[in-house]
């Protein structure tokens, strides 16, 4: 037993059916997913070998992106199996305990878990990213600008420079307004919401800029309303060069505060 | 996005998945073998790798 440990994916209510995870495998694909229960909660776990997940081995494996991507996918796959069927409190990747007793200690110590599960009950997480095609927006804005009187070549050049700068500013203002407005409308349809930082735009990828990276905690009964709100945004902003990408349903990764109370 | 359907088919990309699994979720401390600091460090490296489109496509095809 000492060559093995338990990888923990998250926590579900103790009353969750044990068959939930029958169809999925653990981060070690040869291991089934089990529930380690106390009287209120159950930790979703599977056995891992210490020569793969032990302190020294894992450090090496973590440097291998394809190993990590595969394990991250397995972690998400296990939790996703429960989404919509019971309430899931997802852990971050890499909670590996030495024994079932230690996992039970964790369940006992974390007196905040039941309240968090109650808050998340009956919800799913959906993600929405909005992208702006900067060229489309610039053309739209430029069309509104009258071609100013053509003077000398030098003056025309200066005018073009000024127009460029003004268009840049207007595109930026539009992006901020559109992102804010989109998030507000989506947030109005759901229980909780948050926005995540946008990635730095990369060179060569200037045309399509992410302007919103939102996560939404959606009660099951509000999914349609949320999708309607998104559909409305899509139709309304399509001529502006904005498109939206919906992702999920996710376990509510974005809506579990860590133990220090800090939102992840 | 598909519209008109009442069921919500799961749509996830590897980059979003990795973002959530490694960067969100409850952070635990205590008697576990892998510390959060280690994951955070690795995450930075992985994020950089995934940011390159080639790596991402290779990983996607390996995993699907």
């Amino acid at each position: 037993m000492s060559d093995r440990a338990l990888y923990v994916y998250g926590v579900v209510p103790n009353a969750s059916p044990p068959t939930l995870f029958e169809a999925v495998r653990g981060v070690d694909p040869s291991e089934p997913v089990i529930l380690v229960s106390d009287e209120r909660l159950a930790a979703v776990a599977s056995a891992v070998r210490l020569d793969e997940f032990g302190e020294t081995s894992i450090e090496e494996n973590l440097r291998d992106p394809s190993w990590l991507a595969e394990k991250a996918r397995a972690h998400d796959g296990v939790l996703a199996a429960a989404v919509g069927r019971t309430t899931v409190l997802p852990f971050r990747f890499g909670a590996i305990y030495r024994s079932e007793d230690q996992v039970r200690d964790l369940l006992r110590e974390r007196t905040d878990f039941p309240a968090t599960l109650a808050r998340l009950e009956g919800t799913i997480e959906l993600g929405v990213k909005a992208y702006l095609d900067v060229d489309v927006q610039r053309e739209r804005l430029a069309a509104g600008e009258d071609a100013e009187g053509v003077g000398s070549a030098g003056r025309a050049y200066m005018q073009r420079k000024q127009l460029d700068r003004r268009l840049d500013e207007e595109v930026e203002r539009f992006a901020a307004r559109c992102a804010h407005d989109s998030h507000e409308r989506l947030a109005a349809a759901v229980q909780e919401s948050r926005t995540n930082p946008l990635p730095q735009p990369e060179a060569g990828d200037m045309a399509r800029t992410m302007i919103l990276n939102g996560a939404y905690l959606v009660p099951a009964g509000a999914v349609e309303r949320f999708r309607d709100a998104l559909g409305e945004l899509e139709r309304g902003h399509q001529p502006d060069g904005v498109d939206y990408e919906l992702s999920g349903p996710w376990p509510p990764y974005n809506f579990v505060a860590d133990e220090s109370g800090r939102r992840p | 996005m598909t519209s008109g359907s009442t069921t919500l088919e799961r749509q996830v990309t590897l980059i979003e998945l990795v973002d959530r699994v490694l960067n969100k979720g409850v952070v635990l401390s205590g008697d576990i073998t892998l510390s959060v600091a280690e994951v955070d460090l690795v995450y930075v490296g992985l994020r950089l790798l995934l940011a390159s489109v080639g790596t991402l496509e290779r990983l996607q095809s390996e995993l699907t």
Side-chain angles (χ1 to χ4, degrees):
Chain A
M1 203 47 207
S2 60
D3 59 341
R4 311 240 280 177
L6 275 175
Y7 185 102
V8 182
Y9 303 85
V11 166
V12 295
N14 190 12
S16 306
T19 51
L20 273 180
F21 303 99
E22 260 175 0
V24 289
R25 308 300 287 181
V27 286
D28 177 341
S30 64
E31 294 292 337
V33 176
I34 59 165
L35 293 176
V36 180
S37 310
D38 72 5
E39 52 294 342
R40 298 167 308 166
L41 306 170
V44 183
S46 70
V48 289
R49 295 194 324 270
L50 285 181
D51 63 9
E52 188 178 21
F53 282 89
E55 268 151 310
T56 45
S57 321
I58 201 167
E59 261 176 56
E60 208 158 290
N61 283 329
L62 286 170
R63 288 193 208 101
D64 173 1
S66 49
W67 183 89
L68 190 49
E70 187 194 318
K71 301 308 174 188
R73 180 162 285 195
H75 178 111
D76 176 69
V78 167
L79 293 171
V83 169
R85 299 161 76 195
T86 188
T87 313
V88 196
L89 200 163
F91 289 180
R92 191 177 293 196
F93 181 85
I96 303 154
Y97 289 79
R98 290 171 212 283
S99 68
E100 289 198 10
D101 282 346
Q102 283 187 342
V103 175
R104 288 202 183 85
D105 287 347
L106 162 79
L107 294 180
R108 197 173 45 244
E109 282 159 16
R110 290 298 299 261
T111 50
D112 56 317
F113 281 169
T116 307
L117 279 171
R119 199 185 98 241
L120 299 171
E121 194 181 345
T123 65
I124 54 168
E125 175 179 324
L126 294 175
V128 173
K129 287 179 172 172
Y131 296 89
L132 172 66
D133 186 327
V134 174
D135 293 338
V136 169
Q137 185 58 216
R138 276 182 75 94
E139 267 169 45
R140 260 174 86 87
L141 291 168
E145 302 271 348
D146 285 331
E148 282 158 38
V150 183
S152 66
R155 231 182 111 194
Y157 173 80
M158 287 307 292
Q159 282 174 345
R160 210 161 50 236
K161 291 290 269 187
Q162 280 174 359
L163 177 65
D164 267 349
R165 203 165 47 234
R166 202 162 62 236
L167 284 177
D168 283 345
E169 287 167 7
E170 281 183 36
V171 166
E172 215 164 287
R173 265 201 301 277
F174 170 81
R177 205 172 54 234
C178 177
H180 181 262
D181 174 62
S182 300
H183 178 68
E184 290 291 299
R185 288 210 216 176
L186 294 171
V190 304
Q191 182 175 321
E192 288 176 48
S193 62
R194 56 169 290 155
T195 54
N196 285 310
L198 304 171
Q200 291 298 315
E202 285 172 58
D205 194 26
M206 291 303 288
R208 195 169 181 259
T209 308
M210 194 193 297
I211 59 172
L212 172 66
N213 182 9
Y216 304 88
L217 189 68
V218 190
V223 170
E224 279 306 300
R225 193 152 58 106
F226 182 79
R227 294 184 61 159
D228 288 348
L230 182 59
E232 225 168 271
L233 286 169
E234 280 176 324
R235 282 188 299 277
H237 283 303
Q238 198 250 343
D240 293 319
V242 179
D243 69 284
Y244 297 84
E245 278 179 9
L246 176 69
S247 72
W250 299 98
Y253 294 111
N254 275 284
F255 299 96
V256 286
D258 75 20
E259 63 200 44
S260 58
R262 171 174 61 99
R263 287 277 171 172
Chain B
M1 200 190 117
T2 54
S3 54
S5 151
T6 48
T7 56
L8 201 53
E9 214 172 289
R10 188 157 202 247
Q11 309 180 37
V12 306
T13 63
L14 180 59
I15 196 132
E16 285 180 296
L17 186 153
V18 164
D19 253 333
R20 282 173 165 83
V21 170
L22 271 65
N23 204 26
K24 309 284 180 183
V26 175
V27 179
L28 299 145
S29 59
D31 204 0
I32 57 178
T33 66
L34 177 63
S35 80
V36 173
E38 282 164 337
V39 175
D40 280 350
L41 268 176
V42 170
Y43 177 75
V44 173
L46 182 77
R47 204 69 187 68
L48 287 173
L49 270 164
L50 287 178
S52 104
V53 174
T55 310
L56 187 59
E57 280 172 355
R58 188 172 56 76
L59 289 175
Q60 294 270 33
S61 62
E62 269 178 25
L63 291 167
T64 47

